[in-house]
Amino acid sequence: MNQHHKPRAAAKTWLKAHPTMLEAWLAGVGSRDGQDGLTVASDTLAAQKQLTNPS
């Protein structure tokens, strides 16, 4: 992660390479409105990917 990348970009890259870690971190976590935390995080990351890399 220490390759002179911005922290947010480095975190996204790392999480893409280690998706099971995100699953473990968010196991049992919910969003403020009661949704599954992993689903919300995964949907948010996918939406951000679409914004930065539209097909």
Side-chain angles (χ1 to χ4, degrees):
M1 252 168 94
N2 192 12
Q3 298 174 354
H4 306 288
H5 296 288
K6 292 184 179 185
R8 185 173 293 228
K12 286 180 184 180
T13 299
W14 191 87
L15 286 170
K16 285 180 188 177
H18 302 91
T20 56
M21 290 301 297
L22 185 62
E23 293 169 8
W25 286 337
L26 296 178
V29 174
S31 68
R32 290 184 192 181
D33 61 357
Q35 296 181 51
D36 177 64
L38 179 59
T39 300
V40 172
S42 297
D43 291 350
T44 300
L45 290 170
Q48 290 176 350
K49 182 179 176 184
Q50 287 293 325
L51 291 174
T52 57
N53 297 320
S55 25

